[in-house]
Amino acid sequence: MIVAASACVCSNRLRTAFLAGLALLLSAAAGAEPVVLKVHHFLPPTSNIHTRMIVPWCEKIRQESRGDVSCRIHPAMQLGGAPTQLYDQVRDGVVDVVFAVPGFTAGRFPRIEVFELPFLMKNAQSTSKALWEFVERHAQAEFADVKPLAFNVHGPGLFHLVRKPVTSRADLRGLKIRAPTRQSSRLIAALGGTPIGMPLPEVSQALSKGVIDGLVVPWEIVPAIKVDELTRFHSETDPSQAAMYTTAFVLAMNKARYEGLSADQRKIIDANSGIELSGTFGRIMSEADAGGRAAVPPESINVIPGAEIERWKRLTQPVTEAWVAEMNRKGVDGEALLAAALALTRKHGE
C-alpha cells in the first residue's frame, strides 16, 4: 500500500510537471511577437509603386503567413536619408526591406546597367523577367550582400517639358533635363541636352523654380510628383519602336533578417519573390502608364516620328559602346553581357 501510494504520488508529480511545462511553452508561444518587416522606399504614398506594388506585396505575405509576417511601410524616405542610401540601409540592417533604384549610385552596379541602355526595352513585364534571370546568371556578385526579392523596369520613358515639345534632336539643345541614372544622362547628352541628376522627390520644386526645363520619366509616375501640373508638353517616342530608355529597380531584403526567419517564414518570402514577382512589378508599372497619360490634356502630347528615332538610335550608339568598353576595362566581356541581355529579352518575349 505504501509503495502504491508512493507511485501514485510520483505519477501525479510527473503529470503536474508535464502540464506545467506544457503550459509554460504555450504561454511563451502565445506571447511571441510576430515578425514585422520595416519597409522603406522613396516614392510618395500616393504613387503607383506604393499603392499597387509594395502595399499588396506586404498584404499578401501577411495573409499567407496568417499574420506571422507583416510590414510597417515607410514611404517618401520617412526614416531619413536620401534615395541614394536605400541600398546601404537595407544592407546594414537599418531597415529590413527597400524598394530602390540601383542606378541612383552611378557605377556601383554596372552590370545591370545594360538594361538601361538606349532603345533596348520593348515590354516592361518581359524585360523585368529577363533582368531577374540576368542577375541570377551574370550579376549575383553585385547584390551578394542583400537578399534580392525582385528586379523590374518601368514602361517607356519620355520627355516632359515646360516651354516646348520635343520633335527632333534640335529641340533639346540647351535644355536642362533631369535624368534618373547614368545611362539616361548619357543618352540626353548624346542628344544635345544637358542632363541634371537629382533625387525624384526634388523634381517638383526644381520644375517650379526653373532649375530644370524638364525631365524624363514614364507616364506612371507623372501624377505622383505633379509633373502633369508643372509641365506643359509631353513627347513620346514612336510606340512601334523600342523604348528610349528605362530604369532598373530592386526590391531587396536584409540578408541577416531573412536568414533569421523561421523555415516557414522564409518559405512565405520565397513564394513571393523571384522572376514572377519581377514580371508582375514590371507589368503593374507599365499598366499604370495609361493613368498617368490620362492626367494630361491630349493636345499636350506629341509623338516623335519613327524616322527621327532611327537617327537617335545612331546618335546614342556611343552610349552602348561606352558601357561595353567600361565592362571590358573591368575584365568582363561587355559584348557578351549585352548579347546575354538581348537574348533574355527575346526569350521572355521582348
Side-chain angles (χ1 to χ4, degrees):
M1 291 293 293
I2 294 173
V3 173
S6 177
C8 183
V9 169
C10 289
S11 175
N12 287 336
R13 285 176 177 171
L14 287 172
R15 185 164 55 250
T16 300
F18 171 77
L19 291 174
L22 180 61
L24 185 62
L25 286 172
L26 291 174
S27 174
E33 289 292 327
V35 172
V36 180
L37 300 176
K38 192 186 300 181
V39 181
H40 203 201
H41 69 84
F42 64 99
L43 284 308
T46 56
S47 67
N48 165 69
I49 288 171
H50 180 86
T51 60
R52 295 191 59 209
M53 291 166 57
I54 297 174
V55 169
W57 179 79
C58 285
E59 180 60 18
K60 196 164 185 285
I61 63 172
R62 187 194 67 79
Q63 289 180 356
E64 292 183 8
S65 68
R66 298 182 180 179
D68 196 33
V69 182
S70 61
C71 301
R72 186 175 295 115
I73 307 173
H74 302 271
M77 302 305 299
Q78 288 178 350
L79 297 179
T84 54
Q85 297 170 319
L86 281 168
Y87 185 86
D88 288 338
Q89 287 182 357
V90 77
R91 180 199 63 189
D92 298 340
V94 176
V95 297
D96 300 315
V97 178
V98 297
F99 186 80
V101 176
F104 279 175
T105 48
R108 185 173 180 180
F109 305 94
R111 292 190 180 212
I112 68 164
E113 285 184 337
V114 65
F115 284 87
E116 298 178 338
L117 293 174
F119 302 103
L120 185 140
M121 191 275 293
K122 288 185 178 179
N123 177 281
Q125 180 173 2
S126 58
T127 302
S128 296
K129 289 184 174 183
L131 175 55
W132 175 271
E133 189 170 345
F134 179 88
V135 173
E136 282 198 318
R137 292 188 182 192
H138 305 289
Q140 283 195 25
E142 290 190 349
F143 299 92
D145 47 7
V146 299
K147 168 68 175 174
L149 304 177
F151 292 97
N152 73 278
V153 299
H154 59 59
L158 65 146
F159 288 101
H160 308 271
L161 296 165
V162 175
R163 296 197 304 269
K164 62 180 181 178
V166 175
T167 59
S168 69
R169 181 194 184 196
D171 296 319
L172 289 169
R173 289 180 190 145
L175 296 187
K176 294 173 288 187
I177 309 293
R178 183 266 178 182
T181 64
R182 183 168 66 153
Q183 300 306 328
S184 56
S185 292
R186 289 174 173 175
L187 176 144
I188 289 169
L191 295 177
T194 301
I196 304 293
M198 68 174 59
L200 194 65
E202 296 178 14
V203 165
S204 298
Q205 187 175 25
L207 283 170
S208 64
K209 291 187 174 182
V211 175
I212 55 176
D213 299 301
L215 70 159
V216 287
V217 290
W219 280 116
E220 65 92 17
I221 196 63
V222 162
I225 57 173
K226 300 182 179 180
V227 171
D228 53 326
E229 301 175 20
L230 296 169
T231 62
R232 297 171 53 211
F233 302 97
H234 313 276
S235 300
E236 300 176 317
T237 54
D238 187 325
S240 67
Q241 302 275 355
M244 180 174 66
Y245 87 96
T246 191
T247 301
F249 299 84
V250 62
L251 182 72
M253 186 171 182
N254 176 264
K255 207 168 187 179
R257 182 64 155 149
Y258 171 80
E259 292 170 352
L261 299 176
S262 70
D264 287 341
Q265 291 168 340
R266 288 196 301 273
K267 285 180 183 178
I268 297 294
I269 298 297
D270 292 344
N272 290 283
S273 62
I275 193 167
E276 292 306 320
L277 180 65
S278 299
T280 297
F281 277 6
R283 174 182 57 77
I284 290 171
M285 291 192 77
S286 183
E287 287 175 348
D289 283 341
R293 197 175 192 275
V296 307
E299 62 271 18
S300 70
I301 303 171
N302 73 287
V303 177
I304 304 166
E308 180 68 12
I309 296 303
E310 289 299 331
R311 286 191 286 272
W312 287 15
K313 288 180 180 179
R314 293 191 294 273
L315 289 167
T316 59
Q317 183 59 29
V319 176
T320 298
E321 293 170 357
W323 177 85
V324 169
E326 179 183 349
M327 297 309 300
N328 290 341
R329 288 194 297 272
K330 293 177 181 292
V332 180
D333 189 337
E335 287 283 2
L337 286 184
L338 177 59
L342 293 169
L344 287 169
T345 59
R346 289 192 295 270
K347 170 185 173 181
H348 291 285
E350 295 189 335

